[in-house]
């Protein structure tokens, strides 16, 4: 199956697609891909308005006469002389107001695209050893089992940020101070030659919250770590995602340019309350 580009939707709306198999592929793409669905609605809207508002007329006699004269034809054009007002009302009725309505509709659709990405079970979309969701859960399990210990033990956020910097983390790592959580320590890992920041909090009842953060470019541009496109779009829209499984809660949020994964064995509602508002 060939890769479909969005401009093929225009050809579909204009009735230019005659191949039944290709037509069905485009319709299936519109049903499954929200960007294609938006493009289809926009193109259909424009065509409906044009069909409704534009009335095609026979070429006015004055225009025919000018064309014939410009090509040196001796053909005479006879017709009823028309006034300025008559000539004016013979022009297509695609007015400025109609054009404004079309543009406004397109702008409104584009501005509301971020609302299309609905919350769903993004956890089932994550796979592979490079996936940030899977790495975060595995790292947290290693912390619980004692296989992964802090390289630096500290309750001072500035000390931890300085540790990240001196250990080669190239992006600006955030280390929030939280009311009900005490900083415990930090770890710097290396993957494909890049350094990544991890730190841990401890709660009032001894529960742990592990935070793994990467600059978004490591996912979108460098692809050193991965996340599903839908989850990235959901976070870009300002949302916070939580998933509960195997006695722990995994939370994803965005803090400035960093995508943050938080995994904890604490109360899911308390974790969401504390970390979604970072």
């Amino acid at each position: 199956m060939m890769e479909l580009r969005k401009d093929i939707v225009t050809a579909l709306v204009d009735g230019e697609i005659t191949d039944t198999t290709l037509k069905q592929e485009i319709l299936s793409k519109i049903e499954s891909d929200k960007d294609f669905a938006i493009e289809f609605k926009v193109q259909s809207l424009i065509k409906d308005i044009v069909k409704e508002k534009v009335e095609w007329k026979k070429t006015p006699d004055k225009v025919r006469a000018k064309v014939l004269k410009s090509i040196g034809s001796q053909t005479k054009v006879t017709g009823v002389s028309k006034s300025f007002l008559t000539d004016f009302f013979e022009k297509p009725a695609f007015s400025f107001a109609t054009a404004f309505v079309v543009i406004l509709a397109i702008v409104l659709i584009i501005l509301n695209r971020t609302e299309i990405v609905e919350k769903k079970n993004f956890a089932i979309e994550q796979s592979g050893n490079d996936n940030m969701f899977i790495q975060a859960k595995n790292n947290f399990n290693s912390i619980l089992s004692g296989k992964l210990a802090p390289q630096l033990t500290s309750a001072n956020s500035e000390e931890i940020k300085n540790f990240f910097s001196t250990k080669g983390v190239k992006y600006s790592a955030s280390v929030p101070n939280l009311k009900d959580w005490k900083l415990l320590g930090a770890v710097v890992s290396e993957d494909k030659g890049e350094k990544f920041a991890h730190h841990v909090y401890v709660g009032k009842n001894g529960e742990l919250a592990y935070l793994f953060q990467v600059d978004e470019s490591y996912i979108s541009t460098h692809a050193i770590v991965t996340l599903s496109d839908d989850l990235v779009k959901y976070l870009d829209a300002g949302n916070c995602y939580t998933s509960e499984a195997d006695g722990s809660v995994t939370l994803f949020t965005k803090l400035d340019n960093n995508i943050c994964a938080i995994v904890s064995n604490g109360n899911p509602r308390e974790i969401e309350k504390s970390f979604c508002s970072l």
Side-chain angles (χ1 to χ4, degrees), residues 173-217:
S174 297
V175 184
N177 288 303
L178 303 174
K179 179 182 177 182
D180 297 320
W181 295 87
K182 180 183 177 182
L183 283 164
L184 186 62
V187 175
V188 170
S189 66
E190 183 172 345
D191 189 3
K192 299 181 180 68
E194 296 292 338
K195 302 292 183 68
F196 295 103
H198 314 254
H199 64 276
V200 181
Y201 295 91
V202 60
K204 292 179 292 185
N205 299 314
E207 64 272 36
L208 298 177
Y210 155 72
L211 194 155
F212 171 25
Q213 60 185 304
V214 303
D215 185 274
E216 59 187 344
S217 65

Side-chain angles (χ1 to χ4, degrees), residues 8-267:
I8 203 170
V9 174
T10 305
L12 175 69
V13 173
D14 290 340
E16 297 174 0
I17 305 298
T18 57
D19 185 282
T20 305
T21 302
L22 177 57
K23 185 176 181 179
Q24 188 56 49
E25 286 182 13
I26 300 170
L27 291 174
S28 297
K29 186 71 172 177
I30 290 170
E31 291 180 2
S32 62
D33 190 300
K34 294 181 176 65
D35 286 338
F36 269 74
I38 289 174
E39 185 71 16
F40 179 72
K41 290 178 181 178
V42 169
Q43 295 298 334
S44 298
L45 174 64
I46 292 173
K47 184 170 183 179
D48 289 344
I49 292 177
V50 170
K51 285 173 64 177
E52 179 183 348
K53 296 295 184 182
V54 175
E55 180 182 355
W56 298 103
K57 295 284 188 178
K58 178 182 176 182
T59 304
D61 292 335
K62 288 182 179 180
V63 176
R64 292 181 62 208
K66 284 184 178 181
V67 172
L68 291 171
K69 183 179 180 180
S70 68
I71 63 176
S73 174
Q74 300 300 314
T75 304
K76 300 294 183 181
V77 178
T78 58
V80 179
S81 178
K82 298 178 182 178
S83 68
F84 168 78
L85 288 176
T86 304
D87 209 27
F88 177 82
F89 283 110
E90 278 191 342
K91 294 180 180 178
F94 196 83
S95 64
F96 172 82
T98 303
F100 177 77
V101 170
V102 174
I103 294 171
L104 179 61
I106 294 172
V107 170
L108 288 175
I109 290 173
I110 292 174
L111 289 177
N112 284 284
R113 282 190 180 195
T114 54
E115 298 177 3
I116 292 175
V117 182
E118 298 176 355
K119 182 176 180 180
K120 58 181 182 179
N121 187 8
F122 296 114
I124 63 175
E125 298 179 345
Q126 316 308 317
S127 63
N129 293 331
D130 294 331
N131 186 269
M132 187 177 180
F133 190 101
I134 293 174
Q135 287 185 355
K137 292 201 68 172
N138 289 341
N139 290 343
F140 182 68
N141 289 333
S142 294
I143 291 172
L144 291 181
S145 64
K147 295 178 181 178
L148 181 61
Q151 296 167 338
L152 170 72
T153 301
S154 174
N156 186 294
S157 61
E158 292 301 319
E159 186 177 0
I160 290 177
K161 285 192 283 187
N162 184 61
F163 170 74
F164 289 148
S165 179
T166 57
K167 288 295 183 178
V169 176
K170 295 177 182 177
Y171 52 92
S172 177
S174 297
V175 184
N177 288 303
L178 303 174
K179 179 182 177 182
D180 297 320
W181 295 87
K182 180 183 177 182
L183 283 164
L184 186 62
V187 175
V188 170
S189 66
E190 183 172 345
D191 189 3
K192 299 181 180 68
E194 296 292 338
K195 302 292 183 68
F196 295 103
H198 314 254
H199 64 276
V200 181
Y201 295 91
V202 60
K204 292 179 292 185
N205 299 314
E207 64 272 36
L208 298 177
Y210 155 72
L211 194 155
F212 171 25
Q213 60 185 304
V214 303
D215 185 274
E216 59 187 344
S217 65
Y218 286 92
I219 294 173
S220 61
T221 305
H222 306 301
I224 295 175
V225 290
T226 64
L227 276 180
S228 66
D229 290 342
D230 281 353
L231 178 52
V232 172
K233 289 180 182 178
Y234 189 74
L235 299 176
D236 283 341
N239 298 301
C240 184
Y241 173 68
T242 57
S243 172
E244 298 176 43
D246 304 322
S248 65
V249 54
T250 302
L251 181 150
F252 269 80
T253 189
K254 197 168 180 182
L255 186 57
D256 296 325
N257 293 324
N258 292 352
I259 290 179
C260 302
I262 296 94
V263 189
S264 176
N265 56 358
N267 181 285

